[in-house]
């Protein structure tokens, strides 16, 4: 479908209109995030004091549909914040890739035909951070029937290519021209150390139960150097934005989606090890990787065009070791192909959800395990995977909708335990499947587009609520895209039967204009804070990425004149250990600053940090754009 052209580079996008959206029906092509203007080098006005971490969510719901994210901050001091004020949180894009055909985030056409332009509420936020958000759709409905599934399935594998040739001794990735402008953005030196963000099924990468000991150790020298970079691919003529969602780590390979392929790179040198060609872009990808290096994606059956955006109908399993597809399948709801919003892996099953219902296949063989049933009064909107398989099931009529959080048998789809959320809660995201933790925006009270006002700790054996954790959107910086990407949350992880969450940025105190934030912990049994607190440090912003045994791996987004850091936070003492510190040269900062944790994919493991974009656009600028930047320590 056609849509208004995106705003030109270096100008703030316009804010979309208001109005309650409805569930998507036709796939649409999104527009691209825009690059915010570079602010003058002056300090921001002093913001209000830090957050009240015990503040309860607002009881009254409100409409204020957020728009899609902008582009990351420039490498310069910011201007004073304008508009709604300091501390508005940023929403991640569907990490691991918003489906390009779905209306909603990242400037995709909104419900009722409203285009949603990328941008932070029409304002320049503090420290130049772009503030991505996802649209909150309003709907209601009443609870209804049990879980039923049945239908036909078929898939075509696809993923996307990371375009580039290695140039300059394994330091930076550049195009084949090898011109001097690439050298101007080349970084050398710097020290760092990384951790393993493996996302192995059932492992700590799932954000679930803590197992084993921490694997990430600080190197002798924590300063990192740039290992390689991959230039952003050029989209076809007439197409503004294409999803390049999906990135994964194995012991030897970093794999990344491009326009119509997935490329496996040597983790240290960036040399291409394999390329898997696909018929169309990757719409969605699970972060989970099995022990034998399998993962799952959803992709389009062909490249989108201005007149035919294509739907996300193909579900595929990819072997990341061999660089090959294992199988591809599709599903139908009645006679119509299902366009899937999300996909995951759990218990040897690949499960994909949509507004038409969910479907599942055997991971090894591709045999159908269940499929959408059009006559059912409920449907599976999406799934959380990893240690277990959890369905977010919508039941009832439009004006009385109710969400059922179901721990399901991966082989049969039978419900093992179920928790029914209060009516009026429209969307929920699965933060962890074991222990089971769900995030929701109750009554639209978050008010910031984060998708979170509360977390629900649920016993996945009995379905009973263990505790409800209040996390007001104006005080905590976690974000979930519960509308489409059911297991896509940032700024939060789970382990040690605790939830670790980033707070919003706030004044660091004193007479300076500096800002900071923290990672704090909640007890999943009581719902109360434990008192543990890890500070980001002056002008840094900290984001928990994943668990490493009992410890938390976190990324620190730096001030404009320094490089980012990766730290390990001891799960008990909360003592921070620096694992990596990136170069502070301007060329490196410019690229790293564009990979915001809110709407980029960040993988860390075995001394390597890999940051990548989830969209490629037709926007042009004088600066070279990169889809991947990789850092490593010796």
């Amino acid at each position: 479908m056609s849509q208004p052209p995106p705003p030109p580079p270096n100008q703030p996008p316009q804010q979309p209109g208001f109005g309650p959206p409805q569930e998507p029906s036709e796939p649409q092509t999104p527009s691209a995030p825009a690059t915010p203007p570079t602010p003058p080098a002056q300090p921001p006005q002093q913001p209000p004091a830090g957050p009240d971490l015990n503040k309860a969510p607002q009881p009254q719901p409100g409409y204020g549909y957020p728009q899609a994210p902008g582009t990351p901050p420039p490498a310069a001091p910011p201007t004073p914040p304008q508009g709604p004020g300091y501390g508005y949180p940023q929403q991640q894009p569907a990490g691991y890739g918003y489906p390009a055909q779905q209306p909603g985030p990242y400037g995709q056409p909104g419900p009722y035909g409203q285009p949603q332009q990328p941008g932070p509420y029409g304002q320049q936020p503090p420290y130049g951070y772009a503030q991505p958000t996802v649209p909150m759709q309003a709907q209601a409905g009443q609870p209804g029937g049990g879980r039923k599934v049945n239908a036909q399935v078929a898939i075509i594998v696809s993923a996307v290519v990371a375009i580039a040739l290695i140039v300059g001794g394994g330091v930076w990735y550049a195009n084949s021209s090898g011109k001097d402008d690439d050298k101007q953005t080349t970084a050398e030196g710097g020290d760092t150390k990384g951790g393993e963000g493996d996302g192995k099924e059932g492992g700590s990468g799932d954000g679930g139960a803590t197992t084993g000991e921490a694997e990430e150790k600080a190197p002798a020298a924590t300063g990192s150097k740039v290992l390689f970079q991959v230039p952003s691919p050029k989209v076809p003529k007439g197409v503004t934005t294409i999803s390049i969602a999906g990135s994964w780590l194995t012991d030897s390979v970093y794999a990344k989606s491009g326009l119509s392929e997935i490329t496996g790179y040597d983790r240290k040198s960036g040399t291409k090890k394999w390329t898997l060609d696909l018929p169309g872009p990757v719409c969605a990808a699970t972060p989970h990787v099995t022990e034998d290096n399998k993962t799952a994606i959803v992709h389009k059956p062909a490249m989108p065009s201005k007149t035919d955006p294509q739907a996300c109908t193909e579900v595929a399993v990819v072997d990341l070791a061999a660089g090959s597809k294992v199988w591809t399948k599709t599903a139908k709801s009645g006679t119509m192909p299902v366009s899937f919003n999300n996909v995951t892996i759990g218990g040897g099953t690949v499960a994909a959800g949509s507004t038409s219902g969910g479907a599942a296949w055997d991971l090894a063989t591709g045999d159908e395990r269940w499929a959408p049933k059009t006559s059912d009064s409920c449907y599976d909107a999406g799934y959380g995977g990893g240690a277990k398989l959890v369905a977010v099931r919508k039941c009832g009529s439009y004006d009385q909708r109710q969400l059922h959080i179901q721990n399901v048998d991966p082989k049969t789809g039978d419900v093992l335990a179920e928790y029914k959320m209060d009516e009026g809660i429209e969307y929920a995201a699965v933060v962890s499947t074991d222990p089971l933790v769900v995030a929701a925006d109750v009554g639209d009270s978050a008010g910031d587009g984060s998708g979170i006002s509360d977390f629900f700790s649920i016993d996945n054996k009995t379905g009973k609520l263990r505790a409800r954790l209040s996390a007001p959107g104006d005080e905590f910086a976690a974000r979930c895209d519960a509308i489409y990407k059911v297991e896509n949350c940032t700024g939060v992880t789970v382990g040690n039967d605790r939830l670790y969450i980033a707070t919003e940025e706030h004044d660091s105190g004193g007479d300076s204009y500096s800002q900071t934030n923290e990672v704090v912990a909640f007890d999943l049994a009581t719902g109360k804070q434990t008192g543990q607190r890890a500070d980001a440090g002056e002008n840094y912003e900290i984001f928990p990425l994943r668990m490493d045994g009992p410890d938390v791996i976190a990324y620190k987004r730096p001030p404009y004149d320094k490089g980012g850091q990766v730290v390990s936070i001891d799960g008990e003492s909360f003592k921070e250990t620096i694992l990596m510190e990136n170069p502070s040269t301007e060329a490196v900062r410019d690229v790293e600053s564009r990979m915001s944790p809110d709407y980029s994919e960040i993988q860390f493991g075995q001394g390597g940090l890999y940051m990548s974009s989830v969209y490629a656009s037709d926007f042009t600028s004088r600066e070279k754009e990169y889809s991947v930047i990789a850092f490593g320590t010796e």
Side-chain angles (χ1 to χ4, degrees), residues 48-136:
D52 175 5
L53 300 179
N54 293 309
K55 180 179 177 181
Q58 299 298 319
Q60 297 298 326
Y63 284 86
Y65 295 99
Q67 58 254 30
T71 313
T79 55
Q82 305 292 327
Y86 176 81
Y88 270 57
Q90 311 171 0
Q91 175 66 18
Q92 159 174 343
Y96 298 99
Y98 287 83
Q101 86 284 5
Q102 295 295 339
Y106 281 90
Q108 300 178 23
Y112 294 107
Q114 288 183 335
Q116 305 220 352
Q117 300 291 349
Y121 296 94
Q123 71 186 52
Q124 177 68 26
Y127 282 58
Y129 286 173
Q131 300 185 3
T133 56
V134 290
M136 302 305 297

Side-chain angles (χ1 to χ4, degrees), residues 91-99 105-106 134 245 481 485 488 598-599 601 614:
Q91 175 66 18
Q92 159 174 343
Y96 298 99
Y98 287 83
Y106 281 90
V134 290
D481 177 20
K485 300 290 183 295
N488 183 24
D598 292 316
Y599 56 99
E601 299 168 352
V614 294

